[in-house]
Amino acid sequence: MMVYKYKRLVVKLGTSTLTSGTSHLSEEPLSNLIAQIAALCDGGCEVILVSSGAMAAGREALSFPKLPKEIPAKQMLSAVGQPRLMAIYETLFAHHNHTVAQVLLTRQDLTQRRSYLNSRNTLLALLNQKVLPIVNENDAVTTEEIRVGDNDNLSALVANLVDADLLLMLTDQPGVFTSDPRTNPKAKLLKEITSSEIPEELWKSASNSKDELGTGGMITKLQAADLARRSGTNVVIASGTEPEAILRTAKGDAIGTYFKATATTLESRKRFILSGTVPTGKIQIDDGAISALQNVSSLLPVGVTSILGEFDRGDTVAVIDINSNEIARGLTNYSSAELSKIAGRQSKDIESILGYYYGEEVIHRDQLVLIHTPN
Ligand code: GLU
């Protein structure tokens, strides 16, 4: 059995990888990449694929129509292309007995706390069922304000959402160079970046390189790498044509450019929970629940004695003891209205009380930071 260094990986395939630099989606490189992803999943890893190519598939399906550059034309193309892209994935993954799922996201789904929790739970539920999520931006309907805009940054946000160990961005370049290798023959491939900040010269040289087919270029890849490593995810940027690129990266072989994570996923989640204003919503809990939290358990409704203020599912709330000392802060699975109905009750009764169920915890352990230990 192969031993992999990373357990949960986000793999990002760009348009240039899917088309081999042409204007047509080509199944050949794709089937090879898919065989590698299937092997990873069979070896016990969890993989989320972020795939571009919807617009390219749409253009191909409509025989390369001449269209204005405006947004509706692009949205139309991705609406035509997205199901075709998924059909290709579905067929190719079926050869390896893997089921795929389509998840279309926008920036809003990833940054607003309520939808953030929902998107996270959906992706984790798919992984639990051994279904491979294939993510793209919901291009057909997103407006400029709520778009991520490129799948490099989208893949970093997804990596953050699911606490991935590794984000692998496959592209048409062997990695990140000291300057653009297409114009400067002296450009050198950078093996790794371990400094806490990505060097300024790299940002400069990346801003001059552009990718013809996809939306991103090296600059969006660097932005994505920067974002992902700050949230605790290691990043590799490598060429999709490198033999066994996915499997070798997952084993920890040095290919392409490696960016070491600058925080742990736990630190980053804590920062996320503690960021923002002091919560106005409060959940008061009993002594039994306090000991449970101190013993690394989740907060269950049975330990909740009262609810102060109004809050929504996904909001950050303060968890307080009977003397109003703050014990912890976390993202709540239930709104104040819902909690007032289930406070003091057993988790198994949640569904019959509310008529639905967001999980047995009021605040899951992973979404909770202990703040203060009373004497
Ligand atoms: N979401 C776009 C598509 O599927 C791609 C965006 C990108 O290339 O970064 O065509």
Side-chain angles (χ1 to χ4, degrees), residues 12 15 51-56 136-137 139 149-152 214-216:
K12 188 257 168 180
T15 304
S51 176
S52 307
M55 275 199 284
N136 197 356
E137 179 133 43
D139 291 315
D150 68 86
N151 279 10
D152 297 322
T215 307

Side-chain angles (χ1 to χ4, degrees), residues 104-154:
L104 299 178
L105 297 171
T106 64
R107 180 178 288 281
Q108 217 170 24
D109 299 320
L110 296 160
T111 50
Q112 286 190 358
R113 296 195 171 196
R114 186 189 173 92
S115 40
Y116 167 94
L117 268 189
N118 288 344
S119 315
R120 174 180 161 92
N121 290 345
T122 304
L123 289 172
L124 296 184
L126 288 167
L127 293 177
N128 242 337
Q129 286 299 312
K130 309 268 178 261
V131 174
L132 190 125
I134 302 182
V135 177
N136 197 356
E137 179 133 43
N138 196 354
D139 291 315
V141 294
T142 44
T143 56
E144 204 49 52
E145 305 78 62
I146 60 163
R147 282 177 85 216
V148 178
D150 68 86
N151 279 10
D152 297 322
N153 280 293
L154 178 68

Side-chain angles (χ1 to χ4, degrees), residues 237-273:
I237 298 178
S239 166
T241 57
E242 178 86 32
E244 309 267 276
I246 300 178
L247 287 173
R248 286 166 52 210
T249 307
K251 276 194 287 170
D253 287 3
I255 67 163
T257 305
Y258 167 73
F259 297 76
K260 192 175 181 330
T262 54
T264 65
T265 48
L266 194 67
E267 283 161 4
S268 130
R269 182 157 302 280
K270 285 187 176 176
R271 267 208 310 272
F272 180 78
I273 292 169

